Amino acid sequence: MAVWDDLVGQSQVEEQLAAAARDADAFVTAHETGGPVPEASKMTHAWLFTGPPGAGRVDAARAFAAALQCVSPDRALGGAPGCGFCTGCHTTLIGTHADLTTVSAVGTQILVGDMRDTVRKSFTAPANGRWQVILVTDAERLNERSGNAVLKAVEEPAPRTVWLLCAPSLDDVLPTIRSRCRHLNLRTPPVEAVADVLVRRDGIDPGIAMAAARAGQGHVHRARRLATDERARARRAVVLKLPARVADIGGCFKAAQELVDAAAEDAKQVAEEIDTKETEELKAALGAAQGGRMPRGTAGMMKELEEKQKRRGRRTQLDSLGLALTDLTGFYRDVLALQLRSRTPLTNEDVRDSLEAIARATTPELTLRRIEAVLACREALDRNVAPLLAVEAMAMALR
């Protein structure tokens, strides 16, 4: 399986990255053997991957990183880099390659302290790989200071260092950074392509796969979760019942509280899976005694870890709320499609009765205002408004 197989419905992007990976391989080979360096090259030192949620921008960047680190012997026989099986490809795809550094936002921002060591590493030569690859999965969360640190590194990178930045759109990245990157825009994969992936790779029943692909709105990982996780389907069902529960003020506040509580429960589940393991690993690394007593001078490190875990918990809660708002937007978009007698397939076919009831009882103008209210809630969350206040305001606007 080639590294590009994770890209769903992105054939044009795949072709560009594959061509760049071939030129990058030729460059490193020439550097190692002392041969002539290719004059014309589709490879560059900084890339910016943009696209809507679920388009696979991080998957594309990681696949490209794997192709850059590919050490398959078939390359010497004319094979394209990115086999997916060699050590370079495998370790890059699972995130353990020594010359791959992945930076993700722990909280709502990537702080300069989180980037300092990464920027320093970007100026070093690869340890045992072919390229030093820096993957920033949430470039839109770089603040002013961390963004300036990245800018300095992107302006004058080491000869065999490549930066891969991922963000929803060009406008989410500092102009000074995006002007120094080659831009690749990914599109939302077709529902049929997502369903095909679920059937082929996960063995999911075709009917369930198609329903999950529609409900996931082109988001491959979201569709897979809906198809395989009963809890995810239950949470989505709660969200899609919200439009029918906001007929009175009491219903608005109750629905808002349940939505926020569900997001908090999601964050708690993630914390239980990750935080405990992190804490135990740090205690073991610091030489904690068998009874749990920590050596002197380690309290600061433990406190720093706790702060990091709190930031990640808030980020997880906001991400969960974001998915709920996406489902809600899709619900009202289906209502609008019914009101305008559009032939567009409905995203939420499984709740058609609710869609038709609301479509008959309201007007397209009111539906548009409700969609705007959901989008306003998302913007409020991005501005760090308290989640419950933002969701309550949205629920009142949906009445």
Side-chain angles (χ1 to χ4, degrees):
M1 183 179 73
V3 295
W4 314 113
D5 287 356
D6 282 337
L7 301 187
V8 179
Q10 312 290 351
S11 56
Q12 186 176 1
V13 170
E14 179 184 334
E15 291 172 3
Q16 295 181 60
L17 293 177
R22 286 194 296 270
D23 288 347
D25 182 65
F27 173 83
V28 176
T29 300
H31 183 271
E32 292 176 343
T33 61
V37 177
E39 294 183 4
S41 176
K42 295 181 174 64
M43 180 60 182
T44 189
H45 68 281
W47 298 76
L48 176 57
F49 298 81
T50 64
R57 51 183 184 262
V58 176
D59 288 335
R62 196 175 294 279
F64 184 42
L68 293 178
Q69 305 289 22
C70 182
V71 292
S72 169
D74 292 341
R75 294 176 299 107
L77 303 176
C83 66
F85 295 102
C86 69
T87 302
C89 287
H90 177 68
T91 54
T92 301
L93 291 174
I94 65 176
T96 60
H97 196 289
D99 293 313
L100 169 69
T101 301
T102 302
V103 180
S104 300
V106 175
T108 56
Q109 293 184 337
I110 298 178
L111 306 178
V112 67
D114 300 330
M115 289 300 304
R116 190 172 291 116
D117 291 339
T118 300
V119 169
R120 189 180 300 113
K121 184 178 180 181
S122 73
F123 291 107
T124 63
N128 53 22
R130 299 174 68 77
W131 290 85
Q132 184 74 259
V133 181
I134 311 297
L135 170 59
V136 183
T137 63
D138 306 295
E140 75 278 11
R141 297 182 185 272
L142 291 166
N143 61 24
E144 183 177 358
R145 294 184 63 195
S146 57
N148 287 335
V150 171
L151 174 61
K152 293 178 181 178
V154 171
E155 282 180 326
E156 299 177 359
R160 286 168 60 182
T161 293
V162 57
W163 284 80
L164 308 178
L165 310 178
C166 304
S169 71
L170 282 174
D171 293 336
D172 292 313
V173 181
L174 290 174
T176 48
I177 292 179
R178 68 181 186 233
S179 65
R180 289 163 173 80
C181 299
R182 183 168 299 170
H183 177 223
L184 291 177
N185 186 49
L186 285 75
R187 64 189 182 96
T188 300
V191 170
E192 295 76 13
V194 176
D196 178 64
V197 167
L198 297 180
V199 173
R200 284 190 296 106
R201 296 190 200 169
D202 302 286
I204 296 171
D205 177 80
I208 296 176
M210 181 58 73
R214 284 202 190 98
Q217 303 181 46
H219 195 304
V220 181
H221 300 297
R222 169 80 163 146
R224 181 178 289 113
R225 190 176 180 191
L226 286 171
T228 58
D229 188 346
E230 181 63 36
R231 292 180 303 179
R233 292 194 291 271
R235 280 192 290 270
R236 174 175 172 270
V238 170
V239 173
L240 296 184
K241 288 178 182 177
L242 187 144
R245 300 177 57 198
V246 292
D248 56 74
I249 294 178
C252 289
F253 287 116
K254 186 176 180 181
Q257 184 68 62
E258 289 181 2
L259 201 61
V260 173
D261 288 345
E265 183 63 28
D266 264 357
K268 182 179 178 181
Q269 290 177 3
V270 172
E272 289 176 351
E273 296 171 3
I274 300 176
D275 291 2
T276 302
K277 181 180 177 182
E278 277 185 347
T279 302
E280 294 302 320
E281 287 178 350
L282 181 58
K283 286 182 177 179
L286 295 176
Q290 180 133 13
R293 294 184 60 186
M294 298 295 298
R296 290 184 179 181
T298 60
M301 295 183 185
M302 294 302 299
K303 185 176 181 181
E304 184 178 344
L305 177 61
E306 290 172 2
E307 291 294 329
K308 175 183 175 182
Q309 291 172 344
K310 286 180 182 178
R311 285 192 287 148
R312 183 169 58 209
R314 173 172 170 76
R315 166 78 189 279
T316 303
Q317 182 180 9
L318 293 178
D319 286 347
S320 180
L321 279 175
L323 286 176
L325 296 180
T326 298
D327 287 336
L328 207 51
T329 304
F331 181 94
Y332 284 115
R333 188 172 60 237
D334 284 348
V335 170
L336 187 63
L338 290 174
Q339 290 172 330
L340 299 179
R341 295 182 173 84
S342 171
R343 296 182 180 179
T344 304
L346 299 181
T347 298
N348 302 286
E349 184 69 44
D350 53 326
V351 291
R352 176 179 275 271
D353 291 344
S354 297
L355 295 171
E356 291 179 343
I358 293 179
R360 289 192 299 268
T362 59
T363 64
E365 292 77 13
L366 181 56
T367 302
L368 285 173
R369 285 202 294 271
R370 285 171 167 167
I371 292 175
E372 290 173 354
V374 179
L375 298 178
C377 179
R378 185 184 294 275
E379 292 176 0
L381 292 173
D382 289 339
R383 295 195 304 270
N384 289 326
V385 174
L388 184 57
L389 290 178
V391 177
E392 285 177 345
M394 178 194 72
M396 293 295 292
L398 294 179
R399 277 186 66 207

